[in-house]
Amino acid sequence: NNFAIWPNPANTVLNVNFEPLGSEDVKMTLLNIDGRKVLEKNISPAATLISEQLNVSSLNSGLYILSLTQGNRTENRKVIIN
């Protein structure tokens, strides 16, 4: 699965590119280190490569986990917000 995030560390915008697996909706969730949801976005795949931008300018500095869930498959990446 192709899943890219940049810049990392980020301070205003986090870019996310990924290839969905089929036509099921994708849930993109950003969790803080305590496991609290700070951002959530539902995406309906309309292309073979999805490009999203998350505004992270209002988030506190620290380590976060970006989670993509589609059906019963979940992928996680560590993200640092400055």
Side-chain angles (χ1 to χ4, degrees), residues 22-52:
S23 59
E24 278 186 278
D25 283 359
V26 177
K27 183 164 65 171
M28 182 183 306
T29 309
L30 190 63
L31 304 169
N32 68 14
I33 200 65
D34 298 325
R36 287 194 206 107
K37 194 182 311 177
V38 294
L39 286 174
E40 185 174 64
K41 193 172 200 176
N42 288 311
I43 302 155
S44 295
T48 56
L49 180 65
I50 307 293
S51 296
E52 292 288 329

Side-chain angles (χ1 to χ4, degrees), residues 48-81:
T48 56
L49 180 65
I50 307 293
S51 296
E52 292 288 329
Q53 287 191 327
L54 298 178
N55 180 349
V56 295
S57 61
S58 64
L59 299 179
N60 293 328
S61 296
L63 179 64
Y64 292 80
I65 302 296
L66 180 66
S67 176
L68 293 181
T69 302
Q70 186 176 28
N72 61 2
R73 182 178 174 141
T74 299
E75 293 216 22
N76 299 311
R77 296 288 190 277
K78 292 179 184 176
V79 177
I80 296 170
I81 306 297

